[in-house]
Amino acid sequence: MSDPSAVADDSSNFIRDIIDADLAANKVSKVVTRFPPEPNGYLHIGHAKSICLNFGIARDYHGHCNLRFDDTNPEKESVEYVNSIRHDVQWLGFEWHSNPFASDYFDQLYDYAIDLIKQGKAYVDSQNAEQIRENRGTLTEPGNNSPYRERSVDENLQLFEAMKNDEYADGEHVLRAKIDMSSPNIKMRDPVLYRIRHVTHHNTGDKWCIYPLYDFTHGLSDAIEGVTHSLCTLEFEDHRPLYDWILDNLETPSRPVQIEFARLQLEYSLTSKRKLNALVNEGHVSGWDDPRMLTISGMRRRGFTPESIVNFCDMIGITKKNSTIEMGVLETALRDDLNARATRRMAVINPLKVVIENYPEDEEEFFTGANHPQNPDFGTREVPFSREIYIEREDFMEEAPAKFFRLSPGREVRLRFAYYITCREVIKNAGGEIEHLVCSYDPESRGGGSPDGRKVKGTIHWVSARHAVRATVNLYDRLFTSANPGAAADFHQALNPESKIVMPEARLEPAIELTGNPIAYQFERLGYFISDYDSSSEQPIFNRTMTLRDSWAKIEQSR
Ligand code: ATP
Ligand code: MG
């Protein structure tokens, strides 16, 4: 489960310690990092951790960071993903030094492969995929040498060139490094460096029908770019000897080092592009930017700010040990940021009409409301009031317990900014459903002050019916009910059926902006909200970014 010790409280970490030592020892003069996504999906919160680490180090050490597309699997990659990744990195507030594709280096990589062949350190293997797998051995058994392993350098050069020149079908041959089939590290058992794939590549088109594999490409791309510290997640630890072998056996312009750190795993979420892709393709969400997705684009649409995501990454820190972060950490980072940033407004999501019988029918008045309770720089706005208002259905109870400090027959509440009202009558339809309430107001209580010192415990929010703007409000909750949906045999079973609730009859106070750049709002007592991309002034749509308090903590405690 979650490990609170995984939440580091300072920005220093073991990687920065390594860099400090490398600088002190003059091993490097300028720190160069890279963030290397594969353009096979949209970036998610896990990638944000890597972005903050790589770009943050480059910034703090006055070095630079490249955004490199690691595009060696043409089947799965696309320009749509390339563009979304660029947008997301910029939106998070980072600037890259350069933005190459690994595929830009295919010519150089081909030459490096030739070099290995000439040194007798790579060979063309003509076993099929099945045979290669069978001969690789297991964790306890060594592998078997390929019958093609002792091909001459000339034969290998000829075959590799013919592979490049489109003379063979997919899978007929591969190029392998000649290392050690009995190495305890399976990655070192003559890993495949190149394979034949007759697929159009999003960047190189049909120029190539052979493609280098990740391990061959990655370290060499780092070396070509002058990356000093190549930071990757822990699952690449056993790739490191291969990373080093390739760089140690070739003359490269620089010699980077690979350092691994723990992947972000977050409760109640998936951070695997493959699984996120399945959610999109199977229609469980509306797209990669569905506000319930913890993709950067989904979080943006949901109302996360870049600052809240960067702060979250600082809060969790960088460690060498995998652990799961509580969702509450992300939610706290978001609430803290929005609390300072959000403009306060009143909105009623599930409206119940209230008629104030002693308030004149054609009268209206305006109360001045602060836009932010702690920050006068936000200014004020005028909040209209009239005889008919809406309150939240949940703020009324016909048979209320003594501790219900909201509205019920005969009881009095304070309307935020306005007056005290007392419920006089409950009007129902033929089916017995409550249609509206009749209340009276005390003119002496204007502004919410107590005229005779009498105590009114509850304050509720409201919107003037005549002035209100009708809107749809989407209430979002966690997409999964299980803290570790990725561990389930089938993550579909963990989908939360109530992760999106649509409230089509919401009423907003008129000072809420419906057009232009979305503004972060706090709807008082309800949470933080932002207008959706599909919102218009004719049909306003707001997304709930987050509730004001963590309602899940209570649920979990009561289990
Ligand atoms: P996925 O499994 O979602 O496809 P990936 O690791 O294959 O993830 P890449 O596009 O290869 O995705 O990742 C780019 C960079 O982001 C890599 O350096 C990778 O280590 C890092 N990264 C990906 N997921 C996480 C995560 N959950 N936490 C931290 N870093 C991550
Ligand atoms: Mg990957």
Side-chain angles (χ1 to χ4, degrees):
M1 277 293 303
S2 55
D3 173 5
S5 69
V7 178
D9 58 1
D10 64 325
S11 63
S12 161
N13 60 54
F14 78 97
I15 294 177
R16 287 174 184 249
D17 293 344
I18 294 171
I19 293 174
D20 289 339
D22 287 350
L23 287 167
N26 277 325
K27 276 199 209 160
V28 296
S29 52
K30 179 176 173 164
V31 176
V32 180
T33 56
R34 87 286 168 267
F35 170 64
E38 185 178 358
N40 63 349
Y42 282 63
L43 298 181
H44 52 61
I45 182 75
H47 293 112
K49 175 175 177 179
S50 178
I51 291 170
C52 291
L53 175 66
N54 281 293
F55 284 92
I57 283 178
R59 178 196 58 215
D60 295 347
Y61 285 92
H62 307 290
H64 67 241
C65 180
N66 293 341
L67 170 60
R68 180 170 78 233
F69 290 108
D70 227 336
D71 54 349
T72 54
N73 293 307
E75 295 92 338
K76 294 180 186 149
E77 298 160 0
S78 79
V79 174
E80 175 194 350
Y81 298 138
V82 166
N83 291 334
S84 74
I85 290 169
R86 285 183 180 139
H87 182 204
D88 287 349
V89 171
Q90 285 175 322
W91 180 75
L92 283 172
F94 297 106
E95 248 177 73
W96 51 79
H97 172 76
S98 72
N99 179 207
F101 293 97
S103 55
D104 296 339
Y105 308 136
F106 280 175
D107 285 302
Q108 281 155 284
L109 295 175
Y110 181 78
D111 292 342
Y112 281 125
I114 299 278
D115 191 343
L116 282 181
I117 295 174
K118 286 185 177 163
Q119 296 181 56
K121 289 175 179 163
Y123 63 97
V124 173
D125 193 355
S126 309
Q127 298 182 98
N128 63 33
E130 180 77 10
Q131 291 165 325
I132 291 179
R133 203 174 311 121
E134 271 171 16
N135 283 325
R136 187 169 288 138
T138 63
L139 284 173
T140 49
E141 302 270 319
N144 302 313
N145 285 352
S146 163
Y148 304 98
R149 198 173 196 258
E150 299 310 325
R151 273 175 167 154
S152 69
V153 167
D154 283 343
E155 191 184 359
N156 283 322
L157 286 173
Q158 218 179 339
L159 282 168
F160 189 51
E161 190 174 359
M163 281 166 65
K164 182 188 84 158
N165 290 341
D166 200 3
E167 291 176 27
Y168 300 110
D170 287 7
E172 254 186 279
H173 306 284
V174 292
L175 183 74
R176 297 179 76 174
K178 197 174 190 174
I179 308 180
D180 178 6
M181 288 305 293
S182 57
S183 169
N185 180 345
I186 293 179
K187 292 272 182 267
M188 296 299 271
R189 294 183 188 169
D190 290 10
V192 174
L193 305 180
Y194 267 90
R195 69 233 191 290
I196 303 172
R197 279 275 184 289
H198 287 87
V199 188
T200 304
H201 187 282
H202 75 96
N203 184 38
T204 57
D206 293 319
K207 177 174 174 193
W208 296 89
C209 65
I210 57 170
Y211 291 99
L213 272 89
Y214 170 86
D215 285 308
F216 186 64
T217 311
H218 202 84
L220 288 171
S221 303
D222 286 343
I224 290 167
E225 289 173 23
V227 167
T228 53
H229 298 85
S230 180
L231 314 177
C232 63
T233 35
L234 278 179
E235 70 272 21
F236 288 97
E237 201 165 8
D238 60 352
H239 296 236
R240 184 166 11 108
L242 178 54
Y243 184 98
D244 288 336
W245 184 91
I246 290 167
L247 295 181
D248 288 343
N249 283 289
L250 289 166
E251 293 265 335
T252 52
S254 77
R255 179 58 169 89
V257 292
Q258 173 181 308
I259 306 168
E260 307 86 22
F261 64 95
R263 238 182 134 75
L264 169 66
Q265 292 158 212
L266 188 60
E267 281 185 345
Y268 297 98
S269 62
L270 292 175
T271 47
S272 145
K273 279 184 275 187
R274 188 175 53 79
K275 289 176 183 165
L276 296 178
N277 204 356
L279 289 175
V280 174
N281 288 335
E282 294 164 14
H284 300 296
V285 293
S286 64
W288 284 97
D289 68 352
D290 185 291
R292 292 165 291 180
M293 295 271 273
L294 286 173
T295 52
I296 306 298
S297 50
M299 295 169 84
R300 178 164 59 235
R301 187 170 188 171
R302 171 86 170 246
F304 277 79
T305 56
E307 291 83 356
S308 64
I309 297 174
V310 173
N311 288 345
F312 166 72
C313 291
D314 283 347
M315 284 160 81
I316 60 174
I318 299 293
T319 60
K320 252 191 274 201
K321 202 171 119 251
N322 277 327
S323 64
T324 302
I325 304 293
E326 287 175 25
M327 188 59 127
V329 180
L330 179 63
E331 293 175 351
T332 300
L334 179 63
R335 287 192 185 100
D336 286 352
D337 189 60
L338 289 178
N339 182 41
R341 194 183 290 279
T343 299
R344 271 51 172 184
R345 290 290 180 262
M346 289 198 292
V348 173
I349 289 183
N350 187 17
L352 172 62
K353 190 176 262 188
V354 171
V355 177
I356 300 165
E357 58 182 3
N358 56 338
Y359 194 90
E361 217 156 306
D362 42 11
E363 200 163 304
E364 62 176 13
E365 65 187 298
F366 294 85
F367 296 94
T368 302
N371 289 334
H372 194 291
Q374 284 97 38
N375 189 343
D377 293 346
F378 276 70
T380 60
R381 88 282 187 187
E382 299 293 282
V383 186
F385 183 82
S386 61
R387 179 179 159 93
E388 293 190 358
I389 62 171
Y390 290 106
I391 64 165
E392 214 67 66
R393 231 161 236 281
E394 288 75 18
D395 282 335
F396 174 76
M397 212 181 219
E398 205 169 2
E399 272 153 63
K403 288 231 160 117
F404 185 78
F405 297 125
R406 290 168 276 170
L407 205 57
S408 64
R411 292 198 201 167
E412 189 170 43
V413 289
R414 182 187 293 109
L415 294 177
R416 175 91 166 119
F417 301 125
Y419 295 104
Y420 291 0
I421 58 169
T422 303
C423 180
R424 301 292 174 196
E425 205 181 338
V426 182
I427 311 294
K428 296 183 178 174
N429 65 16
E433 290 157 352
I434 299 173
E435 267 200 336
H436 70 267
L437 306 178
V438 176
C439 292
S440 62
Y441 86 114
D442 176 359
E444 299 294 305
S445 65
R446 190 175 198 282
S450 171
D452 53 6
R454 73 181 183 273
K455 289 246 174 340
V456 172
K457 277 220 167 129
T459 300
I460 63 173
H461 61 274
W462 52 275
V463 171
S464 163
R466 178 151 30 110
H467 303 89
V469 176
R470 200 179 182 132
T472 295
V473 170
N474 298 319
L475 301 178
Y476 291 111
D477 202 346
R478 296 173 184 178
L479 192 50
F480 296 99
T481 49
S482 144
N484 192 355
D490 178 8
F491 64 82
H492 296 84
Q493 270 152 19
L495 279 166
N496 176 5
E498 301 195 338
S499 60
K500 178 179 182 180
I501 295 172
V502 178
M503 305 298 287
E505 289 292 330
R507 297 294 195 284
L508 316 178
E509 67 165 282
I512 291 173
E513 290 287 341
L514 303 177
T515 55
N517 273 341
I519 294 174
Y521 284 116
Q522 185 192 106
F523 293 167
E524 293 203 24
R525 298 177 67 224
L526 298 175
Y528 298 100
F529 293 78
I530 196 149
S531 71
D532 187 69
Y533 297 168
D534 290 337
S535 183
S536 66
S537 44
E538 294 76 42
Q539 283 196 310
I541 305 170
F542 279 77
N543 295 329
R544 183 172 70 196
T545 310
M546 192 54 57
T547 53
L548 292 178
R549 272 174 300 278
D550 181 5
S551 50
W552 282 73
K554 266 182 268 153
I555 294 168
E556 272 159 19
Q557 272 160 20
S558 65
R559 267 192 202 141

Short mmCIF file of all heavy atoms in Angstrom, two decimals, residues 35-38 44 46-47 49-50 231-233 235-236 261-264 271-273, ligand 1:
data_model
loop_
_atom_site.label_atom_id
_atom_site.label_comp_id
_atom_site.label_asym_id
_atom_site.label_seq_id
_atom_site.Cartn_x
_atom_site.Cartn_y
_atom_site.Cartn_z
N PHE A 35 14.31 14.38 -21.82
CA PHE A 35 13.07 13.67 -21.52
C PHE A 35 12.69 12.94 -22.81
O PHE A 35 12.47 13.60 -23.83
CB PHE A 35 11.98 14.64 -21.07
CG PHE A 35 10.63 13.98 -20.97
CD1 PHE A 35 10.41 12.96 -20.05
CD2 PHE A 35 9.59 14.35 -21.82
CE1 PHE A 35 9.17 12.33 -19.99
CE2 PHE A 35 8.37 13.72 -21.76
CZ PHE A 35 8.15 12.71 -20.84
N PRO A 36 12.65 11.60 -22.78
CA PRO A 36 12.54 10.83 -24.02
C PRO A 36 11.24 10.04 -24.19
O PRO A 36 11.26 8.81 -24.17
CB PRO A 36 13.71 9.86 -23.88
CG PRO A 36 13.70 9.54 -22.39
CD PRO A 36 13.11 10.74 -21.68
N PRO A 37 10.11 10.70 -24.38
CA PRO A 37 8.87 9.93 -24.54
C PRO A 37 8.80 9.23 -25.89
O PRO A 37 9.33 9.73 -26.88
CB PRO A 37 7.79 11.00 -24.47
CG PRO A 37 8.45 12.22 -25.00
CD PRO A 37 9.87 12.14 -24.51
N GLU A 38 8.12 8.11 -25.88
CA GLU A 38 7.79 7.48 -27.15
C GLU A 38 6.45 8.07 -27.59
O GLU A 38 5.49 8.08 -26.80
CB GLU A 38 7.67 5.97 -26.98
CG GLU A 38 7.44 5.31 -28.32
CD GLU A 38 7.34 3.79 -28.26
OE1 GLU A 38 7.50 3.22 -27.16
OE2 GLU A 38 7.08 3.21 -29.31
N HIS A 44 1.13 11.23 -19.25
CA HIS A 44 0.32 11.12 -18.04
C HIS A 44 1.10 11.66 -16.83
O HIS A 44 2.25 12.10 -16.97
CB HIS A 44 -0.16 9.68 -17.83
CG HIS A 44 0.92 8.64 -17.88
ND1 HIS A 44 1.97 8.62 -16.99
CD2 HIS A 44 1.13 7.59 -18.73
CE1 HIS A 44 2.77 7.60 -17.26
NE2 HIS A 44 2.28 6.95 -18.34
N GLY A 46 2.63 10.26 -14.52
CA GLY A 46 3.95 9.63 -14.33
C GLY A 46 5.02 10.32 -15.16
O GLY A 46 6.14 10.56 -14.69
N HIS A 47 4.66 10.69 -16.39
CA HIS A 47 5.61 11.41 -17.22
C HIS A 47 5.94 12.77 -16.62
O HIS A 47 7.06 13.26 -16.74
CB HIS A 47 5.07 11.60 -18.64
CG HIS A 47 4.93 10.32 -19.41
ND1 HIS A 47 3.71 9.80 -19.77
CD2 HIS A 47 5.86 9.45 -19.86
CE1 HIS A 47 3.90 8.67 -20.42
NE2 HIS A 47 5.19 8.42 -20.49
N LYS A 49 6.37 13.49 -13.62
CA LYS A 49 7.46 13.30 -12.65
C LYS A 49 8.82 13.34 -13.36
O LYS A 49 9.76 14.00 -12.91
CB LYS A 49 7.27 11.98 -11.91
CG LYS A 49 8.40 11.64 -10.97
CD LYS A 49 8.12 10.38 -10.16
CE LYS A 49 9.31 10.04 -9.26
NZ LYS A 49 9.08 8.86 -8.43
N SER A 50 8.90 12.63 -14.48
CA SER A 50 10.16 12.58 -15.23
C SER A 50 10.47 13.95 -15.87
O SER A 50 11.63 14.38 -15.90
CB SER A 50 10.05 11.49 -16.29
OG SER A 50 11.20 11.43 -17.07
N LEU A 231 18.45 9.90 -17.22
CA LEU A 231 17.64 9.47 -16.07
C LEU A 231 16.44 8.67 -16.55
O LEU A 231 15.66 9.13 -17.38
CB LEU A 231 17.17 10.71 -15.30
CG LEU A 231 18.28 11.76 -15.04
CD1 LEU A 231 17.70 12.98 -14.34
CD2 LEU A 231 19.42 11.14 -14.24
N CYS A 232 16.31 7.47 -16.02
CA CYS A 232 15.19 6.64 -16.45
C CYS A 232 14.63 5.88 -15.25
O CYS A 232 15.19 5.93 -14.15
CB CYS A 232 15.62 5.70 -17.56
SG CYS A 232 16.87 4.56 -17.02
N THR A 233 13.54 5.18 -15.48
CA THR A 233 12.86 4.53 -14.36
C THR A 233 13.47 3.15 -14.07
O THR A 233 14.19 2.58 -14.90
CB THR A 233 11.35 4.45 -14.62
OG1 THR A 233 11.12 4.24 -16.02
CG2 THR A 233 10.69 5.76 -14.24
N GLU A 235 12.78 0.11 -13.98
CA GLU A 235 12.71 -1.12 -14.78
C GLU A 235 13.83 -1.20 -15.81
O GLU A 235 14.03 -2.24 -16.42
CB GLU A 235 11.31 -1.28 -15.42
CG GLU A 235 10.96 -0.31 -16.52
CD GLU A 235 10.34 0.99 -16.03
OE1 GLU A 235 10.53 1.34 -14.84
OE2 GLU A 235 9.68 1.66 -16.84
N PHE A 236 14.56 -0.11 -15.97
CA PHE A 236 15.68 -0.13 -16.93
C PHE A 236 17.02 -0.47 -16.26
O PHE A 236 18.06 -0.46 -16.91
CB PHE A 236 15.79 1.21 -17.67
CG PHE A 236 14.68 1.41 -18.65
CD1 PHE A 236 13.55 2.14 -18.32
CD2 PHE A 236 14.74 0.81 -19.91
CE1 PHE A 236 12.50 2.28 -19.22
CE2 PHE A 236 13.71 0.96 -20.81
CZ PHE A 236 12.59 1.69 -20.47
N PHE A 261 15.55 5.83 -11.34
CA PHE A 261 14.76 6.29 -10.19
C PHE A 261 13.40 5.60 -10.23
O PHE A 261 13.01 5.02 -11.24
CB PHE A 261 14.61 7.82 -10.21
CG PHE A 261 13.82 8.34 -11.39
CD1 PHE A 261 12.45 8.60 -11.28
CD2 PHE A 261 14.45 8.56 -12.61
CE1 PHE A 261 11.73 9.07 -12.37
CE2 PHE A 261 13.72 9.03 -13.70
CZ PHE A 261 12.37 9.28 -13.58
N ALA A 262 12.66 5.72 -9.10
CA ALA A 262 11.38 5.01 -8.98
C ALA A 262 10.31 5.64 -9.85
O ALA A 262 10.17 6.86 -9.91
CB ALA A 262 10.92 5.00 -7.53
N ARG A 263 9.56 4.80 -10.51
CA ARG A 263 8.41 5.21 -11.29
C ARG A 263 7.34 5.76 -10.37
O ARG A 263 7.21 5.27 -9.24
CB ARG A 263 7.84 3.94 -11.90
CG ARG A 263 7.74 3.86 -13.35
CD ARG A 263 7.11 2.54 -13.73
NE ARG A 263 6.08 2.81 -14.72
CZ ARG A 263 6.36 3.11 -15.98
NH1 ARG A 263 7.60 3.15 -16.41
NH2 ARG A 263 5.39 3.37 -16.83
N LEU A 264 6.57 6.70 -10.82
CA LEU A 264 5.41 7.12 -10.03
C LEU A 264 4.29 6.11 -10.18
O LEU A 264 3.89 5.77 -11.29
CB LEU A 264 4.91 8.49 -10.52
CG LEU A 264 3.56 8.91 -9.94
CD1 LEU A 264 3.65 9.13 -8.43
CD2 LEU A 264 3.04 10.16 -10.62
N THR A 271 -1.09 4.27 -14.81
CA THR A 271 -0.12 5.08 -15.54
C THR A 271 0.60 4.17 -16.52
O THR A 271 1.81 4.01 -16.44
CB THR A 271 0.88 5.79 -14.62
OG1 THR A 271 1.36 4.83 -13.68
CG2 THR A 271 0.27 6.96 -13.90
N SER A 272 -0.15 3.60 -17.41
CA SER A 272 0.44 2.83 -18.50
C SER A 272 -0.29 3.26 -19.75
O SER A 272 -1.52 3.23 -19.80
CB SER A 272 0.25 1.34 -18.25
OG SER A 272 0.03 0.66 -19.46
N LYS A 273 0.48 3.72 -20.75
CA LYS A 273 -0.17 4.21 -21.96
C LYS A 273 -1.02 3.12 -22.61
O LYS A 273 -2.05 3.42 -23.19
CB LYS A 273 0.90 4.71 -22.94
CG LYS A 273 1.38 6.12 -22.61
CD LYS A 273 2.35 6.62 -23.64
CE LYS A 273 3.76 6.15 -23.32
NZ LYS A 273 4.79 6.73 -24.17
P1 ATP B 1 4.09 3.73 -20.62
O1 ATP B 1 4.26 2.41 -19.96
O2 ATP B 1 2.99 4.55 -20.05
O3 ATP B 1 4.07 3.66 -22.11
P2 ATP B 1 6.76 4.44 -20.86
O4 ATP B 1 7.79 4.41 -19.81
O5 ATP B 1 6.85 3.37 -21.86
O6 ATP B 1 5.37 4.51 -20.18
P3 ATP B 1 7.82 6.57 -22.36
O7 ATP B 1 7.15 7.42 -23.36
O8 ATP B 1 8.85 5.62 -22.84
O9 ATP B 1 6.69 5.81 -21.61
O10 ATP B 1 8.38 7.45 -21.16
C1 ATP B 1 9.16 8.59 -21.33
C2 ATP B 1 9.89 8.84 -20.06
O11 ATP B 1 8.99 9.01 -18.98
C3 ATP B 1 10.79 7.66 -19.71
O12 ATP B 1 12.05 8.16 -19.32
C4 ATP B 1 10.07 7.00 -18.59
O13 ATP B 1 10.96 6.36 -17.73
C5 ATP B 1 9.32 8.15 -17.93
N1 ATP B 1 8.13 7.66 -17.27
C6 ATP B 1 7.10 6.99 -17.81
N2 ATP B 1 6.20 6.63 -16.89
C7 ATP B 1 6.66 7.09 -15.71
C8 ATP B 1 6.20 7.04 -14.35
N3 ATP B 1 5.06 6.42 -14.03
N4 ATP B 1 6.95 7.64 -13.40
C9 ATP B 1 8.09 8.27 -13.72
N5 ATP B 1 8.60 8.34 -14.96
C10 ATP B 1 7.90 7.76 -15.95
#
